[in-house]
Amino acid sequence: MPKIVFVEPDGTEKEFNVADGLSVLEAAHKNGIDLEGACEGSLACSTCHVVVDDNWFDKLEEPSEDEEDMLDLAFGLTETSRLGCQIIMSDELDGLRVMLPSATRNMMVDK
């Protein structure tokens, strides 16, 4: 069972064991982490935007073109930004660290 570490905007770290095959978004929701996911993981928003720790970013699969399009809408985009709904936990990602941005941009609400 892989571990994931969520780093809150204030620097607080919360570590959880999560089931193989869960997305980072699902892992957040199952463990009470405030990661919105307005489209429920259907790749139609950027509200599950996370910043992947530099040491882990290159271990992830490349983002799809659809994910990159949605990331363009994310608040506080960085070089290691990804959508939590698109990162699937596995033993290879045991110890993954992701930072939660201080805000999200929900285009459905923020118009």
Side-chain angles (χ1 to χ4, degrees):
M1 193 173 268
K3 272 186 207 153
I4 185 168
V5 178
F6 291 98
V7 182
E8 302 275 353
D10 68 0
T12 302
E13 295 187 10
K14 296 181 179 175
E15 183 177 299
F16 303 98
N17 290 318
V18 298
D20 250 7
L22 277 187
S23 70
V24 168
L25 175 62
E26 292 168 318
H29 287 178
K30 287 188 179 296
N31 290 288
I33 298 296
D34 188 22
L35 187 60
E36 185 175 347
C39 73
E40 299 178 0
S42 66
L43 199 54
C45 74
S46 64
T47 60
C48 66
H49 166 229
V50 294
V51 178
V52 178
D53 183 277
D54 290 341
N55 296 322
W56 286 97
F57 187 74
D58 289 334
K59 296 177 183 175
L60 302 177
E61 291 185 22
E62 292 287 320
S64 68
E65 190 173 321
D66 289 340
E67 180 180 358
E68 288 180 348
D69 288 345
M70 285 295 109
L71 280 169
D72 287 341
L73 306 174
F75 178 83
L77 191 65
T78 74
E79 290 292 317
T80 62
S81 288
R82 291 294 301 268
L83 296 181
C85 67
Q86 298 301 297
I87 303 171
I88 306 303
M89 294 301 297
S90 65
D91 288 336
E92 290 78 28
L93 295 180
D94 184 30
L96 177 69
R97 291 175 52 86
V98 297
M99 282 66 76
L100 304 176
S102 59
T104 62
R105 182 176 293 145
N106 185 340
M107 300 308 282
M108 303 299 269
V109 175
D110 294 341
K111 290 184 179 182

